[in-house]
């Protein structure tokens, strides 16, 4: 039987996307983190994209870490990256993400995209015949959480470790911290005021995951209760990309600032995480960001290793 051109470009049954943290199982998350640690230990020994296979990395929002770590990581895997600002392409003139995905799938082995709504990345992934990776949407930042978990695992075993997440827990970093940490069997304590707590749907998904992994999620409006005895303390910007800068948000979140006084309630050997970019003096103070408990620059480095492992795994699984 001869396939026509369109049939030849249908997605293979096994094509895997990574649009949110629980698109992988706990065992698959552990496998990717194990590979990331191996890639970090021997940075140039893994070349699954040799050929080179190309990867499109598309940005509809600004980026430093994600852009650089994917670009460098794809090169280290033996591949070729095509890093694109969407505004400079026909996406900026309204071409649909679905048609863009159909075209890019003819050129590249994976599509990495940073965009706004999760409906937009879902619309792109639907017709894509190669893996699509979420490099941050409004709802999720799953690549960041792979790096966060790699960083925590360098400090202590993930299962049973507690992580306090402070501030805006209703957006991408809060959601991904809840779900990815649950997959790892961790205990998440969200410290956020009403209006900034994870949606019921996210907490229900976490509860289903935790029934299998032994993790847990608690939500409190009391920042001290969230941090008390925690092994890891993490936070993120109060005003994320795409949000209007508002005095209201600062007023409602200022009690959740990660500062030395709040950190003193955590475990003595607790580590501090922040996905960066930081807004020093807002959600986190210099003393926490630059202090001895900070692991934020290891965390930024681990974006590279974790994403290399993710791409290698997705391409292998999608063959
Ligand atoms: N943490 C993170 O995603 O950083 P960038 O916005 O610089 O990519
Ligand atoms: N929540 C932040 C994360 C930046 C990496 C944002 O979406 O802007």
């Amino acid at each position: 039987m001869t396939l026509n051109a369109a049939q030849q470009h249908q997605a293979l049954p096994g094509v895997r996307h990574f649009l949110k943290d629980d698109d992988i199982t706990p065992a698959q998350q552990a496998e990717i983190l194990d590979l990331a640690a191996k890639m970090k230990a021997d940075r140039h020994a893994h070349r699954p994209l040799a050929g080179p296979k190309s990867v499109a990395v598309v940005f509809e929002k600004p980026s430093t870490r994600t852009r650089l770590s994917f670009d460098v990581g794809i090169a280290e895997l033996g591949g070729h990256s095509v890093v694109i600002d969407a505004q400079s392409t026909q996406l900026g003139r309204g071409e649909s993400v679905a048609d863009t995905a159909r075209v890019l799938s003819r050129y590249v082995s994976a599509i990495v995209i940073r965009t706004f709504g999760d409906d937009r990345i879902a619309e792109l992934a639907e017709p894509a015949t190669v893996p699509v990776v979420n490099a941050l949407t409004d709802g999720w930042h799953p690549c960041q959480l792979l790096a966060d978990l790699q960083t925590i695992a360098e400090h202590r075993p993930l299962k049973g470790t507690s992580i306090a997440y402070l501030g805006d827990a209703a957006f991408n970093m809060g959601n991904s911290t809840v779900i990815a940490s649950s997959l790892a069997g961790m205990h998440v304590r969200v410290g956020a005021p009403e209006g900034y707590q994870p949606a019921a749907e996210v907490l229900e998904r976490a509860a289903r995951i935790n029934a299998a992994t032994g993790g847990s999620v608690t939500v409190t409006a009391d920042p001290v209760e969230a941090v008390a005895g925690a092994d890891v303390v993490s936070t993120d910007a109060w005003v994320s990309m795409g949000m209007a800068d508002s005095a209201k948000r600062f007023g409602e979140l200022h009690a959740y600032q990660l500062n030395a006084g709040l950190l003193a309630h955590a475990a003595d050997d607790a580590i501090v995480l922040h996905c960066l970019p930081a807004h020093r003096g807002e959600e986190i103070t210099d003393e926490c960001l630059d202090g001895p408990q900070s692991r934020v620059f290891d965390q930024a480095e681990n974006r590279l290793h974790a994403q290399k492992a993710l791409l290698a795994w997705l391409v292998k699984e999608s063959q």
Side-chain angles (χ1 to χ4, degrees):
M1 186 181 76
T2 309
L3 296 177
N4 66 35
Q7 287 167 328
Q8 285 170 16
H9 286 280
Q10 280 169 3
L12 297 167
V15 72
R16 297 292 305 242
H17 301 311
F18 188 58
L19 306 188
K20 53 192 188 321
D21 305 84
D22 52 347
D23 282 346
I24 51 176
T25 65
Q28 290 166 343
Q29 183 193 68
E31 182 186 343
I32 292 165
L33 292 174
D34 185 53
L35 183 56
K38 290 193 174 84
M39 287 183 165
K40 184 171 184 175
D42 197 351
R43 192 157 156 177
H44 297 282
H46 303 261
R47 295 180 63 81
L49 299 184
K53 290 182 173 165
S54 295
V55 178
V57 190
V58 183
F59 289 92
E60 297 198 309
K61 289 177 177 173
S63 168
T64 299
R65 279 145 288 271
T66 307
R67 176 184 302 254
L68 270 290
S69 56
F70 268 110
D71 199 353
V72 170
I74 291 160
E76 290 182 3
L77 292 173
H80 169 69
S81 61
V82 187
V83 183
I84 309 163
D85 275 320
Q87 272 306 316
S88 67
T89 72
Q90 300 291 2
L91 281 168
R93 294 180 61 247
E95 185 170 16
S96 76
V97 283
D99 282 349
T100 304
R102 291 184 183 101
V103 172
L104 295 190
S105 294
R106 304 289 181 107
Y107 303 144
V108 299
S109 297
I111 301 169
V112 178
I113 182 164
R114 168 169 288 192
T115 187
F116 291 86
D118 288 272
D119 51 347
R120 191 162 168 79
I121 199 168
E123 190 187 332
L124 183 141
E126 205 277 324
T129 58
V130 296
V132 174
V133 174
N134 182 342
L136 181 145
T137 52
D138 292 347
W140 307 101
H141 199 0
C143 291
Q144 178 69 54
L145 259 291
L146 288 176
D148 294 11
L149 294 181
Q150 183 176 0
T151 310
I152 297 165
E154 290 168 353
H155 174 60
R156 50 184 296 143
L158 295 176
K159 195 169 173 58
T161 284
S162 56
I163 178 168
Y165 182 87
L166 296 169
D168 181 8
F171 207 60
N172 44 31
M173 278 301 296
N175 291 336
S176 279
T177 299
V178 165
I179 297 296
S181 307
S182 294
L183 287 168
M186 295 172 63
H187 302 298
V188 187
R189 294 102 153 279
V190 173
E194 213 174 299
Y196 298 86
Q197 297 177 348
E201 187 267 334
V202 173
L203 295 175
E204 284 157 16
R205 268 164 63 182
R208 283 196 294 275
I209 294 166
N210 284 323
T213 63
S216 66
V217 180
T218 57
V219 180
T220 173
D222 179 347
V224 173
E225 185 186 331
V227 169
D231 301 309
V232 182
V233 186
S234 178
T235 190
D236 181 29
W238 289 341
V239 181
S240 284
M241 292 181 278
M243 289 180 184
D245 194 327
S246 88
K248 183 171 178 283
R249 296 182 68 83
F250 282 70
E252 289 168 340
L253 290 167
H254 81 272
Y256 300 83
Q257 181 189 66
L258 180 49
N259 54 39
L262 192 51
L263 186 58
H265 294 278
D268 290 343
D269 65 347
I271 61 169
V272 168
L273 299 183
H274 188 307
C275 66
L276 303 176
H279 306 80
R280 290 170 178 263
E282 295 178 15
E283 77 276 2
I284 190 166
T285 57
D286 289 345
E287 64 209 354
C288 288
L289 202 54
D290 301 327
Q293 290 167 274
S294 174
R295 296 292 180 277
V296 297
F297 297 105
D298 291 339
Q299 183 186 3
E301 177 189 332
N302 286 338
R303 295 294 303 277
L304 173 72
H305 312 300
Q307 288 160 189
K308 284 172 68 179
L310 174 71
L311 283 177
W313 186 84
L314 284 173
V315 168
K316 170 179 72 89
E317 290 287 312
S318 298
Q319 274 167 2

